[in-house]
Amino acid sequence: MKGKRVHIKSFGCQMNKLDTALVTSALRKAGFSLTGSEKEADVVLINTCSVREHAEQRVLSHLGHLKHIKKTRPDMVVGVIGCMAQRLGDKLLEHEAVNIVCGPAQIPRITELVTKALQEKAKSLAVTEKIRKTTEKQNQTLEKFESAYGIEDEQIPGQAFVRAMRGCNNFCAYCIVPYVRGPAVCRPPQAIIEQIKKLADQGVKQVTLLGQTVNSYKYRSGQRTYCLADLLVMASDIKGIEWVKFVTSYPSEEFFDQILQVMADSPKVCNYLHLPAQSGSDKILRAMNRRYSSRWYLELLDKARAVVPDIAIAGDFIVGFPGESQDDFAATVEMVKKARYKNCFIFKYSPRPGTRLWRAGKGLEDDVGAEVKQKRNIELLAVQEKVSDELSRAFLGKEVKVLVEGLSKKPHLNAADSGDNPQLVGRTATDYIVVFNGPESLAGRFAKAKITRTSPLTLFGELI
Ligand code: 5AD
Ligand code: SF4
């Protein structure tokens, strides 16, 4: 398919970004070229997210826009890939603009699907019928695709994401992920390490291992069972790799002691934990099918801080889960105050057809009104902002090491402060965002900055 141009638009989490990189790389190898302009594209692919309704609505409205473009360019091929493709399947294929629907477990077929759509103009559906019962063969196909592609793709300079595990077996009552990404499958450690070695050879200095519940990574090979702590050590031993991070963790006993110990012992394993609590109310945690109490969760944070004193912890919360009373919400506020997160992602509950709650026939009981959800969201953000502000202020006057990502997208500083150098953005090992002026050639390299000013989510400094 020489000469055909593909435009890919990506919504959603890091997993999706990684899938986009794999798909891009596979299409490039097949002779397609990538274009940043939708108008010029022969093929438009949208990688979608199903976690909240809002994410799906954005895709649907974009499809409306593409339908309009197709009136003048009927040959343009539109493909929807990702979680929404798996969730809606043929319903999505009925959309006038859509030619291809391809679920996350079917992306190894992307080149074939796109080629066929360009040649035959027919619609095609590639979703996994029994997504919770994937076969060994399906897993092997995904593994082969994963290890072959996505390495040379444009990521942030010097950084790369590597999948440790796919799917999820946790079935939190609100969550669609287990039904669109399938069961938890851990990738062989050799494949992961080989991939990281190749990345390091290409100049990558920081790898982030990905999994929905990455702390539960476990792989039996011969006599040995590998857990996440083993992967972290093996990745740190690779020449050229300086920082190793991992997201997202689930608050369970699984391997936490080992992981924390490795963090404490290895200077390369970054002292950063993304550990969603989702709620501070035990009643709501039970209803969410989360398997811990608020007290146990806070004790886990205490333990983490005892073993790794400078650890930075980030959280996720859902406000307005069905049945969340004012008291339940107050318990969440308490938890956010006590947990002292570096930052928190706060979401308003969004009922998702197909989840546990929905299947139990309770999905429609979205009984916390939109206004209350909004109010709780704002209140919780304000509580977190105060904590974030305090934690950021502690960096004033200190020196930090950052991996520079590139030019800062937002002009945070006054132009007068900028001097001759542009404004750069980097992140510390503990995931703090640092903005400072420096030469653009620092992108993808480590630098040191002295912090002169702070805001809740950003540290500002001077290059040393
Ligand atoms: N509604 C709102 N937020 C959700 N999340 C997952 N499912 C839902 C939902 N149905 C949030 C959780 C999770 C994050 C990725 O998205 O907080 O940690
Ligand atoms: Fe969804 Fe829970 Fe699995 Fe996270 S752990 S992906 S919230 S089911």
Side-chain angles (χ1 to χ4, degrees), residues 274-306:
H274 180 206
L275 191 68
Q278 312 294 5
S279 171
S281 149
D282 289 338
K283 180 189 99 190
I284 297 297
L285 286 171
R286 267 194 305 278
M288 284 177 163
N289 197 30
R290 303 283 289 183
R291 301 183 306 271
Y292 50 87
S293 66
S294 55
R295 190 171 153 189
W296 187 88
Y297 177 89
L298 287 169
E299 280 169 9
L300 184 62
L301 297 196
D302 288 343
K303 180 154 112 187
R305 289 186 168 119

PDB file of all heavy atoms in Angstrom, residues 274-306:
ATOM      1  N   HIS A 274       1.402   4.829  41.524  1.00  0.00           N
ATOM      2  CA  HIS A 274       0.032   5.255  41.212  1.00  0.00           C
ATOM      3  C   HIS A 274      -0.876   4.168  41.764  1.00  0.00           C
ATOM      4  O   HIS A 274      -0.867   3.032  41.269  1.00  0.00           O
ATOM      5  CB  HIS A 274      -0.140   5.412  39.696  1.00  0.00           C
ATOM      6  CG  HIS A 274      -1.533   5.854  39.331  1.00  0.00           C
ATOM      7  ND1 HIS A 274      -2.099   5.580  38.122  1.00  0.00           N
ATOM      8  CD2 HIS A 274      -2.467   6.550  40.024  1.00  0.00           C
ATOM      9  CE1 HIS A 274      -3.325   6.088  38.080  1.00  0.00           C
ATOM     10  NE2 HIS A 274      -3.573   6.671  39.229  1.00  0.00           N
ATOM     11  N   LEU A 275      -1.599   4.517  42.822  1.00  0.00           N
ATOM     12  CA  LEU A 275      -2.338   3.511  43.576  1.00  0.00           C
ATOM     13  C   LEU A 275      -3.780   3.984  43.822  1.00  0.00           C
ATOM     14  O   LEU A 275      -4.094   4.538  44.879  1.00  0.00           O
ATOM     15  CB  LEU A 275      -1.598   3.301  44.916  1.00  0.00           C
ATOM     16  CG  LEU A 275      -2.017   2.121  45.769  1.00  0.00           C
ATOM     17  CD1 LEU A 275      -1.632   0.808  45.101  1.00  0.00           C
ATOM     18  CD2 LEU A 275      -1.376   2.194  47.158  1.00  0.00           C
ATOM     19  N   PRO A 276      -4.645   3.773  42.829  1.00  0.00           N
ATOM     20  CA  PRO A 276      -6.024   4.273  42.967  1.00  0.00           C
ATOM     21  C   PRO A 276      -6.742   3.674  44.178  1.00  0.00           C
ATOM     22  O   PRO A 276      -6.679   2.472  44.405  1.00  0.00           O
ATOM     23  CB  PRO A 276      -6.702   3.811  41.676  1.00  0.00           C
ATOM     24  CG  PRO A 276      -5.584   3.655  40.692  1.00  0.00           C
ATOM     25  CD  PRO A 276      -4.423   3.168  41.508  1.00  0.00           C
ATOM     26  N   ALA A 277      -7.425   4.546  44.943  1.00  0.00           N
ATOM     27  CA  ALA A 277      -8.229   4.070  46.077  1.00  0.00           C
ATOM     28  C   ALA A 277      -9.702   4.015  45.676  1.00  0.00           C
ATOM     29  O   ALA A 277     -10.460   3.206  46.181  1.00  0.00           O
ATOM     30  CB  ALA A 277      -8.042   4.986  47.276  1.00  0.00           C
ATOM     31  N   GLN A 278     -10.120   4.909  44.806  1.00  0.00           N
ATOM     32  CA  GLN A 278     -11.480   5.021  44.246  1.00  0.00           C
ATOM     33  C   GLN A 278     -12.508   5.594  45.216  1.00  0.00           C
ATOM     34  O   GLN A 278     -13.394   6.338  44.813  1.00  0.00           O
ATOM     35  CB  GLN A 278     -12.010   3.698  43.660  1.00  0.00           C
ATOM     36  CG  GLN A 278     -11.049   2.960  42.738  1.00  0.00           C
ATOM     37  CD  GLN A 278     -10.728   3.681  41.434  1.00  0.00           C
ATOM     38  OE1 GLN A 278     -11.146   4.801  41.213  1.00  0.00           O
ATOM     39  NE2 GLN A 278      -9.925   3.067  40.589  1.00  0.00           N
ATOM     40  N   SER A 279     -12.440   5.227  46.512  1.00  0.00           N
ATOM     41  CA  SER A 279     -13.354   5.814  47.499  1.00  0.00           C
ATOM     42  C   SER A 279     -12.737   5.663  48.885  1.00  0.00           C
ATOM     43  O   SER A 279     -11.905   4.784  49.101  1.00  0.00           O
ATOM     44  CB  SER A 279     -14.707   5.095  47.457  1.00  0.00           C
ATOM     45  OG  SER A 279     -15.506   5.533  48.541  1.00  0.00           O
ATOM     46  N   GLY A 280     -13.174   6.521  49.800  1.00  0.00           N
ATOM     47  CA  GLY A 280     -12.702   6.400  51.181  1.00  0.00           C
ATOM     48  C   GLY A 280     -13.755   5.770  52.074  1.00  0.00           C
ATOM     49  O   GLY A 280     -13.543   5.620  53.284  1.00  0.00           O
ATOM     50  N   SER A 281     -14.900   5.399  51.491  1.00  0.00           N
ATOM     51  CA  SER A 281     -15.975   4.798  52.284  1.00  0.00           C
ATOM     52  C   SER A 281     -15.967   3.284  52.115  1.00  0.00           C
ATOM     53  O   SER A 281     -16.002   2.769  50.985  1.00  0.00           O
ATOM     54  CB  SER A 281     -17.321   5.364  51.816  1.00  0.00           C
ATOM     55  OG  SER A 281     -18.338   4.400  51.981  1.00  0.00           O
ATOM     56  N   ASP A 282     -15.945   2.561  53.230  1.00  0.00           N
ATOM     57  CA  ASP A 282     -15.897   1.096  53.148  1.00  0.00           C
ATOM     58  C   ASP A 282     -17.159   0.529  52.496  1.00  0.00           C
ATOM     59  O   ASP A 282     -17.102  -0.471  51.783  1.00  0.00           O
ATOM     60  CB  ASP A 282     -15.693   0.490  54.542  1.00  0.00           C
ATOM     61  CG  ASP A 282     -14.276   0.771  55.039  1.00  0.00           C
ATOM     62  OD1 ASP A 282     -13.397   1.026  54.191  1.00  0.00           O
ATOM     63  OD2 ASP A 282     -14.059   0.756  56.266  1.00  0.00           O
ATOM     64  N   LYS A 283     -18.266   1.190  52.749  1.00  0.00           N
ATOM     65  CA  LYS A 283     -19.524   0.724  52.137  1.00  0.00           C
ATOM     66  C   LYS A 283     -19.414   0.812  50.606  1.00  0.00           C
ATOM     67  O   LYS A 283     -19.737  -0.136  49.883  1.00  0.00           O
ATOM     68  CB  LYS A 283     -20.686   1.607  52.626  1.00  0.00           C
ATOM     69  CG  LYS A 283     -22.038   1.244  52.072  1.00  0.00           C
ATOM     70  CD  LYS A 283     -23.098   2.281  52.408  1.00  0.00           C
ATOM     71  CE  LYS A 283     -23.338   3.214  51.234  1.00  0.00           C
ATOM     72  NZ  LYS A 283     -24.173   4.363  51.556  1.00  0.00           N
ATOM     73  N   ILE A 284     -18.908   1.946  50.136  1.00  0.00           N
ATOM     74  CA  ILE A 284     -18.785   2.127  48.678  1.00  0.00           C
ATOM     75  C   ILE A 284     -17.698   1.216  48.107  1.00  0.00           C
ATOM     76  O   ILE A 284     -17.868   0.628  47.037  1.00  0.00           O
ATOM     77  CB  ILE A 284     -18.516   3.622  48.335  1.00  0.00           C
ATOM     78  CG1 ILE A 284     -19.711   4.485  48.769  1.00  0.00           C
ATOM     79  CG2 ILE A 284     -18.215   3.822  46.849  1.00  0.00           C
ATOM     80  CD1 ILE A 284     -21.029   4.189  48.067  1.00  0.00           C
ATOM     81  N   LEU A 285     -16.604   1.049  48.838  1.00  0.00           N
ATOM     82  CA  LEU A 285     -15.546   0.148  48.351  1.00  0.00           C
ATOM     83  C   LEU A 285     -16.102  -1.264  48.154  1.00  0.00           C
ATOM     84  O   LEU A 285     -15.796  -1.926  47.160  1.00  0.00           O
ATOM     85  CB  LEU A 285     -14.353   0.127  49.322  1.00  0.00           C
ATOM     86  CG  LEU A 285     -13.471   1.376  49.285  1.00  0.00           C
ATOM     87  CD1 LEU A 285     -12.455   1.354  50.420  1.00  0.00           C
ATOM     88  CD2 LEU A 285     -12.745   1.502  47.941  1.00  0.00           C
ATOM     89  N   ARG A 286     -16.942  -1.701  49.107  1.00  0.00           N
ATOM     90  CA  ARG A 286     -17.549  -3.032  48.970  1.00  0.00           C
ATOM     91  C   ARG A 286     -18.448  -3.064  47.744  1.00  0.00           C
ATOM     92  O   ARG A 286     -18.395  -3.992  46.943  1.00  0.00           O
ATOM     93  CB  ARG A 286     -18.360  -3.388  50.221  1.00  0.00           C
ATOM     94  CG  ARG A 286     -17.562  -4.167  51.256  1.00  0.00           C
ATOM     95  CD  ARG A 286     -18.466  -4.788  52.310  1.00  0.00           C
ATOM     96  NE  ARG A 286     -19.330  -3.814  52.979  1.00  0.00           N
ATOM     97  CZ  ARG A 286     -18.940  -3.041  53.985  1.00  0.00           C
ATOM     98  NH1 ARG A 286     -17.705  -3.118  54.461  1.00  0.00           N
ATOM     99  NH2 ARG A 286     -19.768  -2.182  54.539  1.00  0.00           N
ATOM    100  N   ALA A 287     -19.275  -2.025  47.595  1.00  0.00           N
ATOM    101  CA  ALA A 287     -20.188  -1.994  46.446  1.00  0.00           C
ATOM    102  C   ALA A 287     -19.414  -1.933  45.134  1.00  0.00           C
ATOM    103  O   ALA A 287     -19.871  -2.405  44.093  1.00  0.00           O
ATOM    104  CB  ALA A 287     -21.128  -0.792  46.561  1.00  0.00           C
ATOM    105  N   MET A 288     -18.230  -1.352  45.181  1.00  0.00           N
ATOM    106  CA  MET A 288     -17.391  -1.260  43.971  1.00  0.00           C
ATOM    107  C   MET A 288     -16.657  -2.571  43.692  1.00  0.00           C
ATOM    108  O   MET A 288     -15.966  -2.694  42.686  1.00  0.00           O
ATOM    109  CB  MET A 288     -16.324  -0.168  44.151  1.00  0.00           C
ATOM    110  CG  MET A 288     -16.830   1.242  44.027  1.00  0.00           C
ATOM    111  SD  MET A 288     -15.430   2.364  44.358  1.00  0.00           S
ATOM    112  CE  MET A 288     -16.085   3.891  43.677  1.00  0.00           C
ATOM    113  N   ASN A 289     -16.764  -3.516  44.640  1.00  0.00           N
ATOM    114  CA  ASN A 289     -16.023  -4.776  44.545  1.00  0.00           C
ATOM    115  C   ASN A 289     -14.509  -4.557  44.618  1.00  0.00           C
ATOM    116  O   ASN A 289     -13.722  -5.268  43.985  1.00  0.00           O
ATOM    117  CB  ASN A 289     -16.397  -5.524  43.242  1.00  0.00           C
ATOM    118  CG  ASN A 289     -16.000  -6.980  43.280  1.00  0.00           C
ATOM    119  OD1 ASN A 289     -15.980  -7.582  44.354  1.00  0.00           O
ATOM    120  ND2 ASN A 289     -15.672  -7.532  42.129  1.00  0.00           N
ATOM    121  N   ARG A 290     -14.103  -3.540  45.357  1.00  0.00           N
ATOM    122  CA  ARG A 290     -12.674  -3.349  45.641  1.00  0.00           C
ATOM    123  C   ARG A 290     -12.411  -4.165  46.905  1.00  0.00           C
ATOM    124  O   ARG A 290     -13.206  -4.160  47.836  1.00  0.00           O
ATOM    125  CB  ARG A 290     -12.348  -1.861  45.872  1.00  0.00           C
ATOM    126  CG  ARG A 290     -12.735  -0.943  44.729  1.00  0.00           C
ATOM    127  CD  ARG A 290     -11.817  -0.984  43.561  1.00  0.00           C
ATOM    128  NE  ARG A 290     -10.521  -0.373  43.795  1.00  0.00           N
ATOM    129  CZ  ARG A 290      -9.580  -0.254  42.840  1.00  0.00           C
ATOM    130  NH1 ARG A 290      -9.798  -0.717  41.619  1.00  0.00           N
ATOM    131  NH2 ARG A 290      -8.423   0.305  43.101  1.00  0.00           N
ATOM    132  N   ARG A 291     -11.285  -4.852  46.942  1.00  0.00           N
ATOM    133  CA  ARG A 291     -11.118  -5.840  48.011  1.00  0.00           C
ATOM    134  C   ARG A 291     -10.263  -5.351  49.178  1.00  0.00           C
ATOM    135  O   ARG A 291      -9.407  -6.059  49.666  1.00  0.00           O
ATOM    136  CB  ARG A 291     -10.520  -7.121  47.416  1.00  0.00           C
ATOM    137  CG  ARG A 291     -11.394  -7.730  46.325  1.00  0.00           C
ATOM    138  CD  ARG A 291     -10.797  -9.020  45.828  1.00  0.00           C
ATOM    139  NE  ARG A 291      -9.421  -8.860  45.393  1.00  0.00           N
ATOM    140  CZ  ARG A 291      -9.056  -8.537  44.174  1.00  0.00           C
ATOM    141  NH1 ARG A 291      -9.981  -8.339  43.252  1.00  0.00           N
ATOM    142  NH2 ARG A 291      -7.794  -8.407  43.844  1.00  0.00           N
ATOM    143  N   TYR A 292     -10.503  -4.129  49.637  1.00  0.00           N
ATOM    144  CA  TYR A 292      -9.757  -3.614  50.784  1.00  0.00           C
ATOM    145  C   TYR A 292     -10.631  -2.593  51.504  1.00  0.00           C
ATOM    146  O   TYR A 292     -11.623  -2.107  50.945  1.00  0.00           O
ATOM    147  CB  TYR A 292      -8.451  -2.941  50.326  1.00  0.00           C
ATOM    148  CG  TYR A 292      -8.668  -1.939  49.217  1.00  0.00           C
ATOM    149  CD1 TYR A 292      -8.990  -0.611  49.496  1.00  0.00           C
ATOM    150  CD2 TYR A 292      -8.608  -2.321  47.874  1.00  0.00           C
ATOM    151  CE1 TYR A 292      -9.227   0.304  48.479  1.00  0.00           C
ATOM    152  CE2 TYR A 292      -8.849  -1.421  46.853  1.00  0.00           C
ATOM    153  CZ  TYR A 292      -9.146  -0.113  47.162  1.00  0.00           C
ATOM    154  OH  TYR A 292      -9.400   0.781  46.160  1.00  0.00           O
ATOM    155  N   SER A 293     -10.249  -2.284  52.740  1.00  0.00           N
ATOM    156  CA  SER A 293     -10.961  -1.246  53.481  1.00  0.00           C
ATOM    157  C   SER A 293     -10.131   0.038  53.419  1.00  0.00           C
ATOM    158  O   SER A 293      -8.936  -0.004  53.083  1.00  0.00           O
ATOM    159  CB  SER A 293     -11.127  -1.678  54.933  1.00  0.00           C
ATOM    160  OG  SER A 293      -9.853  -1.748  55.542  1.00  0.00           O
ATOM    161  N   SER A 294     -10.752   1.156  53.789  1.00  0.00           N
ATOM    162  CA  SER A 294     -10.021   2.425  53.739  1.00  0.00           C
ATOM    163  C   SER A 294      -8.840   2.377  54.717  1.00  0.00           C
ATOM    164  O   SER A 294      -7.760   2.881  54.434  1.00  0.00           O
ATOM    165  CB  SER A 294     -10.942   3.587  54.057  1.00  0.00           C
ATOM    166  OG  SER A 294     -11.559   3.370  55.293  1.00  0.00           O
ATOM    167  N   ARG A 295      -9.066   1.710  55.868  1.00  0.00           N
ATOM    168  CA  ARG A 295      -8.007   1.634  56.858  1.00  0.00           C
ATOM    169  C   ARG A 295      -6.799   0.834  56.343  1.00  0.00           C
ATOM    170  O   ARG A 295      -5.656   1.255  56.468  1.00  0.00           O
ATOM    171  CB  ARG A 295      -8.579   0.963  58.119  1.00  0.00           C
ATOM    172  CG  ARG A 295      -7.649   1.067  59.258  1.00  0.00           C
ATOM    173  CD  ARG A 295      -8.292   0.620  60.515  1.00  0.00           C
ATOM    174  NE  ARG A 295      -7.233   0.142  61.374  1.00  0.00           N
ATOM    175  CZ  ARG A 295      -7.438  -0.472  62.491  1.00  0.00           C
ATOM    176  NH1 ARG A 295      -8.663  -0.712  62.897  1.00  0.00           N
ATOM    177  NH2 ARG A 295      -6.427  -0.865  63.210  1.00  0.00           N
ATOM    178  N   TRP A 296      -7.121  -0.301  55.724  1.00  0.00           N
ATOM    179  CA  TRP A 296      -6.054  -1.137  55.175  1.00  0.00           C
ATOM    180  C   TRP A 296      -5.266  -0.369  54.113  1.00  0.00           C
ATOM    181  O   TRP A 296      -4.034  -0.419  54.054  1.00  0.00           O
ATOM    182  CB  TRP A 296      -6.647  -2.424  54.588  1.00  0.00           C
ATOM    183  CG  TRP A 296      -5.593  -3.390  54.153  1.00  0.00           C
ATOM    184  CD1 TRP A 296      -5.001  -4.343  54.925  1.00  0.00           C
ATOM    185  CD2 TRP A 296      -4.960  -3.458  52.862  1.00  0.00           C
ATOM    186  NE1 TRP A 296      -4.040  -5.004  54.200  1.00  0.00           N
ATOM    187  CE2 TRP A 296      -3.992  -4.485  52.931  1.00  0.00           C
ATOM    188  CE3 TRP A 296      -5.119  -2.765  51.664  1.00  0.00           C
ATOM    189  CZ2 TRP A 296      -3.199  -4.838  51.849  1.00  0.00           C
ATOM    190  CZ3 TRP A 296      -4.315  -3.098  50.583  1.00  0.00           C
ATOM    191  CH2 TRP A 296      -3.373  -4.135  50.678  1.00  0.00           C
ATOM    192  N   TYR A 297      -5.986   0.375  53.287  1.00  0.00           N
ATOM    193  CA  TYR A 297      -5.347   1.157  52.220  1.00  0.00           C
ATOM    194  C   TYR A 297      -4.377   2.183  52.818  1.00  0.00           C
ATOM    195  O   TYR A 297      -3.227   2.305  52.384  1.00  0.00           O
ATOM    196  CB  TYR A 297      -6.423   1.857  51.379  1.00  0.00           C
ATOM    197  CG  TYR A 297      -5.848   2.744  50.297  1.00  0.00           C
ATOM    198  CD1 TYR A 297      -5.557   2.237  49.034  1.00  0.00           C
ATOM    199  CD2 TYR A 297      -5.581   4.095  50.542  1.00  0.00           C
ATOM    200  CE1 TYR A 297      -5.015   3.036  48.047  1.00  0.00           C
ATOM    201  CE2 TYR A 297      -5.038   4.904  49.560  1.00  0.00           C
ATOM    202  CZ  TYR A 297      -4.757   4.371  48.318  1.00  0.00           C
ATOM    203  OH  TYR A 297      -4.208   5.170  47.344  1.00  0.00           O
ATOM    204  N   LEU A 298      -4.861   2.902  53.843  1.00  0.00           N
ATOM    205  CA  LEU A 298      -3.993   3.934  54.449  1.00  0.00           C
ATOM    206  C   LEU A 298      -2.787   3.297  55.149  1.00  0.00           C
ATOM    207  O   LEU A 298      -1.690   3.862  55.134  1.00  0.00           O
ATOM    208  CB  LEU A 298      -4.799   4.811  55.416  1.00  0.00           C
ATOM    209  CG  LEU A 298      -5.760   5.787  54.709  1.00  0.00           C
ATOM    210  CD1 LEU A 298      -6.724   6.424  55.702  1.00  0.00           C
ATOM    211  CD2 LEU A 298      -4.996   6.862  53.935  1.00  0.00           C
ATOM    212  N   GLU A 299      -2.992   2.107  55.696  1.00  0.00           N
ATOM    213  CA  GLU A 299      -1.849   1.401  56.305  1.00  0.00           C
ATOM    214  C   GLU A 299      -0.811   1.012  55.242  1.00  0.00           C
ATOM    215  O   GLU A 299       0.389   1.048  55.496  1.00  0.00           O
ATOM    216  CB  GLU A 299      -2.331   0.146  57.053  1.00  0.00           C
ATOM    217  CG  GLU A 299      -2.882   0.505  58.431  1.00  0.00           C
ATOM    218  CD  GLU A 299      -3.619  -0.655  59.097  1.00  0.00           C
ATOM    219  OE1 GLU A 299      -3.566  -1.798  58.590  1.00  0.00           O
ATOM    220  OE2 GLU A 299      -4.266  -0.391  60.131  1.00  0.00           O
ATOM    221  N   LEU A 300      -1.323   0.670  54.053  1.00  0.00           N
ATOM    222  CA  LEU A 300      -0.399   0.333  52.957  1.00  0.00           C
ATOM    223  C   LEU A 300       0.447   1.568  52.602  1.00  0.00           C
ATOM    224  O   LEU A 300       1.652   1.465  52.363  1.00  0.00           O
ATOM    225  CB  LEU A 300      -1.189  -0.170  51.742  1.00  0.00           C
ATOM    226  CG  LEU A 300      -0.380  -0.649  50.543  1.00  0.00           C
ATOM    227  CD1 LEU A 300       0.482  -1.852  50.902  1.00  0.00           C
ATOM    228  CD2 LEU A 300      -1.291  -1.012  49.373  1.00  0.00           C
ATOM    229  N   LEU A 301      -0.203   2.732  52.596  1.00  0.00           N
ATOM    230  CA  LEU A 301       0.561   3.965  52.313  1.00  0.00           C
ATOM    231  C   LEU A 301       1.602   4.213  53.407  1.00  0.00           C
ATOM    232  O   LEU A 301       2.738   4.603  53.112  1.00  0.00           O
ATOM    233  CB  LEU A 301      -0.361   5.191  52.212  1.00  0.00           C
ATOM    234  CG  LEU A 301      -1.414   5.226  51.105  1.00  0.00           C
ATOM    235  CD1 LEU A 301      -1.928   6.653  50.923  1.00  0.00           C
ATOM    236  CD2 LEU A 301      -0.879   4.711  49.780  1.00  0.00           C
ATOM    237  N   ASP A 302       1.220   3.966  54.659  1.00  0.00           N
ATOM    238  CA  ASP A 302       2.183   4.145  55.762  1.00  0.00           C
ATOM    239  C   ASP A 302       3.388   3.236  55.562  1.00  0.00           C
ATOM    240  O   ASP A 302       4.532   3.649  55.745  1.00  0.00           O
ATOM    241  CB  ASP A 302       1.540   3.795  57.116  1.00  0.00           C
ATOM    242  CG  ASP A 302       0.537   4.859  57.548  1.00  0.00           C
ATOM    243  OD1 ASP A 302       0.590   5.966  56.980  1.00  0.00           O
ATOM    244  OD2 ASP A 302      -0.304   4.575  58.431  1.00  0.00           O
ATOM    245  N   LYS A 303       3.073   1.991  55.197  1.00  0.00           N
ATOM    246  CA  LYS A 303       4.151   1.021  54.998  1.00  0.00           C
ATOM    247  C   LYS A 303       5.061   1.492  53.863  1.00  0.00           C
ATOM    248  O   LYS A 303       6.292   1.476  53.979  1.00  0.00           O
ATOM    249  CB  LYS A 303       3.536  -0.332  54.666  1.00  0.00           C
ATOM    250  CG  LYS A 303       4.540  -1.411  54.428  1.00  0.00           C
ATOM    251  CD  LYS A 303       3.936  -2.746  54.745  1.00  0.00           C
ATOM    252  CE  LYS A 303       3.696  -3.663  53.656  1.00  0.00           C
ATOM    253  NZ  LYS A 303       3.001  -4.847  53.866  1.00  0.00           N
ATOM    254  N   ALA A 304       4.435   1.942  52.759  1.00  0.00           N
ATOM    255  CA  ALA A 304       5.229   2.402  51.610  1.00  0.00           C
ATOM    256  C   ALA A 304       6.152   3.536  52.042  1.00  0.00           C
ATOM    257  O   ALA A 304       7.332   3.563  51.672  1.00  0.00           O
ATOM    258  CB  ALA A 304       4.298   2.858  50.489  1.00  0.00           C
ATOM    259  N   ARG A 305       5.623   4.446  52.863  1.00  0.00           N
ATOM    260  CA  ARG A 305       6.442   5.603  53.267  1.00  0.00           C
ATOM    261  C   ARG A 305       7.511   5.215  54.286  1.00  0.00           C
ATOM    262  O   ARG A 305       8.556   5.866  54.347  1.00  0.00           O
ATOM    263  CB  ARG A 305       5.535   6.710  53.813  1.00  0.00           C
ATOM    264  CG  ARG A 305       4.730   7.331  52.680  1.00  0.00           C
ATOM    265  CD  ARG A 305       3.917   8.523  53.105  1.00  0.00           C
ATOM    266  NE  ARG A 305       3.413   9.204  51.926  1.00  0.00           N
ATOM    267  CZ  ARG A 305       2.118   9.365  51.640  1.00  0.00           C
ATOM    268  NH1 ARG A 305       1.184   8.938  52.466  1.00  0.00           N
ATOM    269  NH2 ARG A 305       1.764   9.982  50.541  1.00  0.00           N
ATOM    270  N   ALA A 306       7.234   4.150  55.035  1.00  0.00           N
ATOM    271  CA  ALA A 306       8.247   3.695  55.989  1.00  0.00           C
ATOM    272  C   ALA A 306       9.424   3.067  55.240  1.00  0.00           C
ATOM    273  O   ALA A 306      10.582   3.281  55.591  1.00  0.00           O
ATOM    274  CB  ALA A 306       7.630   2.685  56.963  1.00  0.00           C
TER     275      ALA A 306
END
